């Protein structure tokens, strides 16, 4: 949520800031802004409402070009204060200090009161402006910028990733973080800061990931870091495996479309070196995994949104196949209750970004409650906060996911969870070699099966107009397909703004069936499994109430065709593990094409941001 980029460079920093903002736009797109220190050491600020493109046009239209070797920039997802130019970052205090901020300052009203008494004027309704004033206030009694920032952040309650520049210290950026991600990019031509490495990939592959509470002085040729106790520390410089091209849209119209079609490769990359022949390498979850999984008696899964839906599928697998009790809960609830966490629990967090504030806080809560739990994260982002806090880690290797609606992250999470199911089952002696071999072979078939399923895109596109003028839709499934129905409904609401609900098909008659009439299209997922006959009865119940239906089925399911019903055979002979992954694909395509029909912004749907790093 909110993207920060900044740098001190031998060259004009403005193109770097603009490129970085464009790449970070998935983090927020309400407004954007840039500030640089010009040659005469004065601030030059430009901000605008809307997408980065609007800011770019404003920059082009300016007669006196904005230029400088040091600057910071921001793309905003509004929390405090509506999306408006005066609320966009960077914020400036007394022409002396400027800040960009990602996070939320909870005590900003208290700080504001004091600052008003001290004569500060407020030009925005944001919580961020108090940070700029607090630093300026501290500079009155401090003779360097870093100690002023160190002092100022002591009075902040909440979360922050901060980039700070000052006209009095024109050679440096101060970068600090608590609860929000921030990293430093190192290069020959200068040093940079950003919320995400993808902002800087065209400049460098070398990154320092700031730890919680770290503060850094970033100079053109040097970076000095202090920890939260003020001690100078050396943080390792890590080489990123990401390539700049991975974050380009290529020949696709939308990132979501690209990411849907990248799934066969993403799954290959997730499986790479995690399986050998017919077996799963338990060490893929960490060197200690083999030893530690033996002692596990229960699994607690925590996640949000799509990652939660992946966890729901895994609950079925872990209990059914690995024979280990498994609970799942959304992070935003878990973190605020007083859960009971017994020893020998595997506490599993799932998060594409590895930065989701609720998931991260739930993990911290769990560690506080019981230090004896084993923590494991499944993320798509190396060096993320969740990854670093977890004892064991698994990276999905899906490559950067830019579209706000999660697609390849979901299917690769499912692959990771399938591998985990086998790893746990094997460690506990609950899975035999034949079962393992069958599942591994199923996983190996996935890239090919997905490629085949994607070939049905045209047929699915044809169905999208049915949703165009509808206000509501219903998704039905049983077993793991209930979780897939939830994911299908989430995709549809996110990008086409159609109200969509998912129900376990057997639950229909307990209430939701009252909703059904010809205005609510119903999507049912009908694999050829042990629940098929039950689902067929549910389909009849719906159909007899007059709604238009789409049934995605297995060739062998043979759902009886009826008027105003489209039956779309997807594939055949799927197993318990492969079926939910394959049936996800038509639902992704359907929501994508409905969004196209409706003309919504597929990659940047209203009100959303990719990485939810605030509460
Ligand atoms: C998915 O399409 C959503 N954009 C959203 O629900 C997302 O899955 C959720 O915010 C969790 O994000 P994470 O996986 O990065 O933790």
């Amino acid at each position: 949520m909110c993207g920060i980029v900044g740098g001190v460079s031998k060259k004009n920093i403005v193109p770097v800031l603009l490129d970085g903002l464009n790449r970070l736009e998935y983090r927020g797109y309400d407004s954007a802004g840039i500030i640089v220190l010009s040659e005469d050491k004065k601030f030059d600020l430009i901000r605008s409402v809307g997408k980065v493109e609007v800011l770019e046009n404003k920059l082009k239209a300016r007669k006196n070009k904005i230029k400088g070797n040091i600057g910071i920039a921001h793309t905003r997802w509004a929390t405090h204060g509506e999306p408006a130019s005066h609320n966009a970052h960077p914020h400036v205090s007394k022409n002396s200090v400027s800040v960009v901020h990602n996070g939320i300052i909870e005590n900003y009203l208290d700080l504001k009161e004091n600052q008003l008494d001290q004569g500060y004027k407020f030009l925005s309704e944001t919580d961020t402006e108090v940070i700029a004033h607090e630093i300026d206030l501290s500079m009155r009694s401090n003779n360097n910028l870093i100690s002023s920032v160190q002092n100022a952040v002591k009075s902040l309650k909440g979360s922050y990733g901060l980039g700070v520049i000052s006209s009095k210290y024109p050679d440096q950026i101060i970068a600090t973080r608590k609860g929000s991600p921030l990293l430093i990019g190192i290069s020959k031509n200068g040093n940079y800061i950003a919320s995400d490495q993808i902002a800087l990939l065209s400049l460098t592959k070398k990154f320092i990931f700031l730890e919680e509470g770290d503060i850094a002085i970033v100079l053109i040729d040097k970076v000095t870091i202090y920890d939260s106790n003020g001690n100078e520390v050396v943080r390792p410089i890590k080489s990123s495996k990401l390539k700049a091209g991975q974050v380009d849209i290529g020949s696709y119209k939308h990132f979501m479309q690209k990411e849907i079609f990248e799934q066969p490769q993403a799954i290959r990359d997730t499986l790479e070196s995690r399986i050998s022949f017919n077996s799963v390498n338990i060490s893929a979850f960490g060197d200690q995994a083999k030893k530690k999984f033996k002692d596990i008696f229960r699994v607690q899964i925590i996640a949000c949104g799509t990652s939660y839906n992946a966890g729901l599928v895994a609950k079925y697998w872990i209990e059914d196949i690995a024979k280990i009790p498994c609970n799942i809960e959304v992070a935003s609830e878990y973190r605020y209750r007083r859960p009971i966490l017994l020893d020998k629990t595997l506490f599993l967090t799932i998060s594409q970004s590895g930065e989701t504030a609720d998931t991260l806080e739930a993990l911290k809560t769990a560690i506080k409650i019981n230090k004896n739990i084993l923590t494991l994260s499944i993320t798509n982002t190396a060096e993320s906060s969740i990854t670093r806090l977890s004892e064991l880690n698994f990276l999905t290797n899906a490559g950067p996911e830019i579209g706000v609606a999660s697609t390849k992250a979901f299917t690769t999470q499912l692959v990771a969870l399938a591998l985990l199911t086998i790893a746990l089952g094997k460690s506990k002696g609950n899975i035999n070699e034949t079962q393992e071999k069958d599942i591994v072979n199923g996983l190996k078939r996935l890239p090919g099966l997905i490629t085949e399923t994607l070939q049905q895109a045209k047929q699915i596109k044809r169905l999208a107009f049915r949703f165009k003028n509808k206000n509501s839709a219903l998704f039905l499934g049983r077993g793991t397909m209930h979780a897939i129905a939830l994911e299908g409904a989430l995709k549809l609401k996110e990008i086409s703004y159609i109200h969509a609900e998912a129900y376990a098909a057997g639950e229909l008659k307990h209430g939701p069936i009252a909703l059904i009439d010809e205005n609510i299209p119903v999507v049912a997922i009908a694999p050829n499994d042990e629940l098929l006959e039950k689902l067929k009865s549910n389909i009849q119940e719906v159909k007899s109430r007059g709604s238009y239906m789409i049934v995605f089925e297995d060739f062998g399911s043979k759902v009886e065709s009826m008027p105003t019903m489209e039956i779309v055979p997807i594939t055949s002979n799927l197993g318990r593990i492969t079926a939910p992954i394959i049936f996800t694909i038509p639902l992704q395509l359907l929501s994508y094409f409905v969004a196209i029909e409706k003309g919504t912004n597929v990659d940047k749907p209203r009100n959303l941001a990719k990485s939810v790093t605030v509460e």
Side-chain angles (χ1 to χ4, degrees), residues 152-319:
V153 295
K154 278 187 200 141
S155 55
L156 305 180
K157 284 195 187 128
S159 59
Y160 54 80
L162 283 179
V164 183
I165 57 172
S166 168
S167 50
K168 294 180 186 143
Y169 300 89
D171 61 338
Q172 59 191 262
I173 298 180
I174 304 297
T176 181
R177 67 164 290 234
K178 191 184 138 222
S180 298
L182 201 61
L183 52 85
I184 299 170
I186 310 287
S187 91
K188 291 200 296 291
N189 293 320
N191 293 315
Y192 312 92
I193 63 164
S195 321
D196 186 327
Q197 42 182 307
I198 67 170
L200 304 175
L201 280 177
S202 54
L203 300 166
T204 183
K205 290 281 174 62
K206 291 190 173 143
F207 296 102
I208 298 174
F209 296 87
L210 291 180
E211 301 274 335
E212 191 75 350
D214 278 359
I215 185 162
I217 310 179
V218 180
L219 302 174
I220 199 160
D221 52 0
K222 193 178 168 202
V223 173
T224 314
I225 304 173
Y226 301 89
D227 67 13
S228 52
N229 298 317
N231 300 318
E232 190 173 334
V233 284
V234 178
R235 302 283 181 221
I237 299 179
K238 305 214 170 159
S239 288
S240 172
K241 291 197 182 104
L242 296 179
K243 297 184 191 95
Q246 279 181 292
V247 289
D248 292 334
I249 197 158
S251 56
Y252 291 92
K253 281 204 181 101
H254 300 100
F255 276 106
M256 184 185 180
Q257 182 193 24
K258 178 180 183 237
E259 287 153 10
I260 289 174
F261 281 84
E262 276 175 350
Q263 288 175 108
Q265 189 55 43
I267 287 177
R268 265 182 222 112
D269 293 343
T270 307
L271 289 173
E272 171 81 45
S273 79
R274 270 77 184 255
I275 46 175
S276 15
F277 302 106
N278 296 324
S279 87
V280 172
N281 304 330
I282 304 181
S283 59
F285 294 89
D287 295 340
Q288 295 294 309
K290 199 166 182 179
K291 193 167 138 252
K292 302 217 163 185
F293 282 174
K294 280 199 174 87
D295 294 333
I296 290 305
F297 276 91
R298 59 195 71 79
V299 180
Q300 173 67 59
I301 305 178
I302 294 295
C304 303
T306 287
S307 299
Y308 172 82
N309 293 338
L312 263 185
V313 175
K315 178 182 159 64
Y316 284 89
W317 290 343
I318 291 170
E319 296 207 334

Side-chain angles (χ1 to χ4, degrees), residues 304-307 351-353 356 404-406 490-491 494 612:
C304 303
T306 287
S307 299
S351 171
Q352 188 285 130
S353 61
T356 298
V404 164
S406 197
L490 177 62
K491 288 291 87 92
E494 265 187 306
V612 188

